[in-house]
């Protein structure tokens, strides 16, 4: 789940590395000697609590000042404590979160209920755009009827169900049993029995089989690049024609916002959030004989995601 403020257009060049604060970052300068500056920033680790995320910074409001503040914190310590509580590393944290608090939160975001705040609604729109652009990538070269597709990290089925409606033979999986159950329920409500995806509870590294296309949307944010490399390689080994990935791109500005968000994880602990540079993802694909053929960038106010399609060299 790529979850962070997006301020930059896809056509920006050097500007994408220069910090600019959006509507999501409101500065209220008090008429005092210290000029207290309050910054409201979206938390990459728990966007649903962003409305209450505030940071008081004395003196100017530059990104350099924010970088100094976050450099004094230790979000990695909180991450290690999370892992210890569930008896494992990133994978165990992700599984625990999306089978409990995270499931309720993201089912609401991915659903159609009006019981969402402004940030949650914006994330819903952003993720829907990612699904829409993915479907365009998949259908622009022809019909999906009979095409085998692996939806790795299917969540509540927002991609799996449209794929099945287009006639694809879909294998959908997620590390969260709660998410899989929700996706399967929704699929049965919208699809004929013969078109239902095959759902299973599984992590990315344990997936097997061969598919025309493998898709993995908004999952890599939960894993560091050291683990993402192996995941990308494994997903590519399952695909015959193409791999489609989305991830939160790593830039100086987005990294600072992520660190700020980590200071305030909200009332419920969220998963760890990792940004990935496009060069690192491209290098991981190249190592296993794949190249990027298409690129896209999906941005809303609180959501940003790099979308790529890779094909064998």
């Amino acid at each position: 789940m790529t979850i962070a403020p997006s301020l930059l257009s896809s056509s920006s060049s050097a500007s994408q590395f220069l910090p600019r604060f959006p509507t999501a970052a409101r500065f209220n300068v008090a008429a005092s000697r210290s000029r207290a500056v309050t910054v409201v920033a979206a938390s990459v680790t728990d966007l649903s609590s962003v409305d209450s995320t505030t940071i008081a910074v004395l003196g100017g409001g530059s990104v350099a000042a924010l970088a100094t503040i976050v450099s004094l914190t230790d979000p990695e310590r909180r991450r290690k404590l999370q892992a210890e509580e569930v008896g494992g590393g990133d994978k165990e944290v992700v599984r625990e979160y999306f089978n409990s608090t995270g499931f309720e939160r993201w089912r609401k975001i991915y659903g159609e209920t009006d019981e969402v705040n402004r940030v949650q609604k914006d994330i819903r729109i952003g993720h829907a755009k990612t699904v829409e652009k993915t479907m365009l990538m998949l259908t622009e070269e022809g019909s999906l009827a009979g095409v085998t597709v692996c939806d790795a990290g299917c969540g509540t089925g927002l991609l799996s169900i449209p794929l099945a409606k287009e006639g694809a033979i879909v294998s959908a999986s997620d590390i969260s049993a709660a998410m899989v159950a929700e996706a399967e329920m929704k699929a049965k409500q919208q699809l004929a029995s013969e078109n239902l995806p095959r759902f299973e509870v599984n992590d990315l590294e344990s997936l097997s089989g061969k598919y025309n296309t493998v898709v993995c949307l908004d999952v890599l944010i939960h894993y560091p690049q050291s683990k993402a490399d192996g995941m990308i390689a494994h997903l590519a080994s399952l695909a015959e024609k193409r791999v489609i990935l989305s991830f939160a791109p790593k830039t100086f500005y987005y990294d600072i916002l992520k660190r700020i968000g980590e200071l305030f994880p909200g009332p419920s602990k969220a998963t760890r959030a990792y940004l990935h540079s496009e060069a690192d993802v491209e290098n991981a694909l190249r190592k296993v004989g794949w190249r990027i053929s298409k690129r896209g960038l999906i941005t809303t106010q609180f959501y940003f995601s790099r979308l790529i399609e890779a094909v064998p060299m």
Side-chain angles (χ1 to χ4, degrees), residues 212 236 239-243 288-293 310-313:
N212 176 284
E240 296 174 339
K241 297 290 182 66
R242 57 187 170 185
V243 173
V288 291
W290 289 68
R291 63 177 178 84
I292 295 179
S293 57
V311 297
M313 289 182 180

Side-chain angles (χ1 to χ4, degrees), residues 122-242:
D122 185 82
I123 296 168
R124 176 189 292 173
I125 292 170
H127 186 74
K129 287 183 177 180
T130 297
V131 171
E132 181 182 358
K133 287 197 175 184
T134 299
M135 288 299 297
L136 287 174
M137 279 185 174
L138 288 167
T139 57
E140 63 186 2
E141 296 179 4
S143 171
L144 290 178
V147 175
T148 55
V149 181
C150 172
D151 182 9
C154 66
T156 59
L158 293 182
L159 177 65
S160 296
I161 294 172
L163 285 171
K165 287 180 178 180
E166 290 292 327
I169 301 172
V170 183
S171 295
S173 63
D174 199 279
I175 195 171
S176 164
M179 287 287 191
V180 170
E182 180 76 6
E184 193 165 17
M185 180 192 71
K186 289 186 175 182
K188 288 178 179 179
Q189 292 173 346
Q190 300 180 45
L191 298 166
S193 57
E194 62 270 20
N195 295 332
L196 287 174
R198 178 174 62 87
F199 290 102
E200 65 175 332
V201 179
N202 225 335
D203 57 74
L204 296 187
E205 300 98 320
S206 302
L207 295 177
S208 61
K210 278 290 183 181
Y211 308 91
N212 176 284
T213 300
V214 173
V215 183
C216 184
L217 302 183
D218 294 356
V219 173
L220 295 181
I221 192 170
H222 303 302
Y223 302 96
Q225 190 64 46
S226 58
K227 292 184 179 180
D229 284 352
M231 292 177 172
I232 292 170
H234 182 63
L235 291 173
S237 74
L238 305 176
E240 296 174 339
K241 297 290 182 66
R242 57 187 170 185

Side-chain angles (χ1 to χ4, degrees), residues 89-99 175 222-223 271:
D90 295 274
K91 187 189 301 183
E92 288 73 23
V93 171
V94 172
R95 181 184 291 113
E96 175 70 17
Y97 176 68
F98 284 105
N99 274 325
I175 195 171
H222 303 302
Y223 302 96
T271 64

Side-chain angles (χ1 to χ4, degrees), residues 7 19-25 27 39 61-63 66 253 257 260:
L7 305 89
R20 291 189 294 116
F21 291 92
T23 307
F27 295 86
V39 180
S62 66
V63 168
L66 294 176
Y253 179 65
L257 284 183
I260 294 170

